[in-house]
C-alpha cells in the first residue's frame, strides 16, 4: 500500500485525483493540501510515501514546498504534476529535490505507475524528457566551477561507476546503458545503485543534475 498526499489549489483537481487513487487497492490517499505551506505541514504530520505536488499555487508554491519537504530528510518523495512538460518551474522543482514530474493530463495508468516508481525510489522522467529538459533550460544552470576531479564525491567512484554516471547524465535508461557497455541490466542496476549512494543522490533525476553540474554531461542537441 502506497500512501499519497494530494497537493493542488483547485478542489476539483484534488477531487479527481482522489477518485482515481481511492479506486485502486494499492494506493491510499491520506490527505489533501491546497497550498505549499499546508503541504509541508501535512507531509510532516502524515509522512506519506508520495506527495503529488502542483507547482503553481498561491502563497508558498510547489517549488518551495518541495525544497522544504526534501530538506527535512523524511521518507516522503515528491512527484511534481505540471501542465507543460517544459515548464520553467519543473527544472527548479527537480533541483529542489523532487523525484520527477508528470503532466496533469497523463493517463491514469501512467500516474499510478509514476506513483509506484517514486515510492520505490526511482525517477519519473523518461530519458527523452530528461534530455529535452536539460537542453531547454541549460541557460538556467550555472556553469560548473573548478575541476570535477576535485569533487570528493566523484573521487569515490570507480572508473566504471564514473562511466555509468556520465551515461545517466545523458538520460540513458538501464537498457541503453547495458547495451552500450555490453553487460546485463542487473549489473547496470547494481552500478546505478552504488553511484547514487556514493554521490548522495536520491534518484536518477538528482544524478542527472549532479552530472550536469559537474560538467560530465551536456544538453543533447535536438
Amino acid at each position: 500500500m502506497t500512501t499519497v498526499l494530494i497537493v493542488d489549489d483547485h478542489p476539483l483537481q484534488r477531487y479527481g485525483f482522489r477518485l482515481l487513487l481511492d479506486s485502486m487497492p494499492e494506493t491510499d490517499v491520506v490527505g489533501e493540501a491546497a497550498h505549499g505551506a499546508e503541504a509541508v505541514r501535512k507531509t510532516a504530520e502524515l509522512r506519506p510515501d508520495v506527495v503529488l505536488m502542483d507547482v503553481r499555487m498561491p502563497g508558498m508554491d510547489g517549488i518551495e514546498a518541495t525544497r522544504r519537504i526534501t530538506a527535512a530528510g523524511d521518507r516522503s518523495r515528491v512527484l511534481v504534476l505540471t501542465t507543460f512538460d517544459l515548464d520553467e518551474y519543473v527544472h527548479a522543482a527537480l533541483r529542489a529535490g523532487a523525484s520527477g514530474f508528470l503532466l496533469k493530463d497523463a493517463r491514469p495508468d501512467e500516474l499510478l505507475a509514476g506513483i509506484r516508481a517514486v515510492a520505490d525510489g526511482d525517477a519519473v522522467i523518461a530519458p527523452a524528457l530528461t534530455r529535452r529538459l536539460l537542453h531547454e533550460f541549460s541557460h538556467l544552470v550555472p556553469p560548473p566551477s573548478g575541476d570535477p576531479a576535485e569533487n570528493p564525491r566523484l573521487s569515490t567512484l570507480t572508473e566504471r561507476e564514473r562511466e555509468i554516471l556520465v551515461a545517466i547524465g545523458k538520460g540513458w535508461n538501464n537498457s541503453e546503458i547495458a547495451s552500450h557497455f555490453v553487460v546485463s541490466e542487473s549489473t547496470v542496476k547494481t552500478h546505478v545503485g552504488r553511484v547514487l549512494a556514493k554521490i548522495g543522490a536520491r534518484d536518477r533525476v538528482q544524478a542527472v543534475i549532479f552530472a550536469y553540474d559537474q560538467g560530465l554531461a551536456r544538453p543533447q542537441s535536438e
Side-chain angles (χ1 to χ4, degrees):
M1 179 72 70
T2 300
T3 55
V4 181
L5 174 68
I6 300 171
V7 184
D8 198 293
D9 61 326
H10 293 96
L12 284 178
Q13 189 78 70
R14 297 198 305 272
Y15 180 70
F17 286 134
R18 178 179 278 276
L19 277 181
L20 171 64
L21 299 179
D22 280 346
S23 69
M24 300 297 164
E26 68 267 32
T27 55
D28 177 25
V29 177
V30 295
E32 300 180 15
H35 51 77
E38 187 178 19
V40 174
R41 184 175 68 253
K42 287 197 172 182
T43 298
E45 174 189 343
L46 301 172
R47 302 189 66 200
D49 297 314
V50 177
V51 180
L52 291 183
M53 181 72 74
D54 187 22
V55 175
R56 295 167 174 165
M57 296 180 290
M60 184 189 296
D61 63 17
I63 296 172
E64 181 60 27
T66 296
R67 183 177 295 110
R68 295 191 186 193
I69 289 171
T70 57
D74 291 334
R75 59 194 294 270
S76 302
R77 293 179 178 270
V78 179
L79 173 56
V80 172
L81 298 174
T82 183
T83 304
F84 305 103
D85 63 348
L86 288 180
D87 189 328
E88 68 271 18
Y89 292 112
V90 174
H91 186 273
L94 294 177
R95 294 182 67 81
S99 294
F101 75 89
L102 288 175
L103 298 181
K104 284 189 176 181
D105 62 357
R107 298 192 311 270
D109 61 312
E110 291 175 331
L111 177 60
L112 293 170
I115 290 172
R116 285 195 298 268
V118 168
D120 289 339
D122 206 344
V124 189
I125 296 185
L129 288 178
T130 301
R131 289 192 285 264
R132 287 171 56 192
L133 185 70
L134 292 177
H135 176 76
E136 183 73 9
F137 298 111
S138 58
H139 65 283
L140 299 178
V141 182
S145 58
D147 182 359
E150 296 176 0
N151 188 295
R153 287 182 288 176
L154 284 178
S155 66
T156 65
L157 300 179
T158 65
E159 181 178 353
R160 175 47 57 91
E161 288 168 351
R162 188 185 180 96
E163 293 173 338
I164 295 294
L165 175 59
V166 171
I168 294 173
K170 292 178 179 178
W172 293 1
N173 59 29
N174 285 354
S175 177
E176 291 171 323
I177 296 174
S179 176
H180 179 81
F181 292 108
V182 195
V183 296
S184 68
E185 286 195 41
S186 62
T187 297
V188 172
K189 288 182 179 179
T190 299
H191 282 311
V192 170
R194 289 173 178 168
V195 168
L196 296 184
K198 287 183 177 182
I199 67 174
R202 288 166 58 91
D203 49 46
R204 293 175 78 107
V205 173
Q206 298 302 306
V208 168
I209 294 173
F210 177 79
Y212 188 89
D213 285 344
Q214 298 306 311
L216 300 179
R218 308 310 306 166
Q220 303 296 298
S221 59
E222 295 290 344

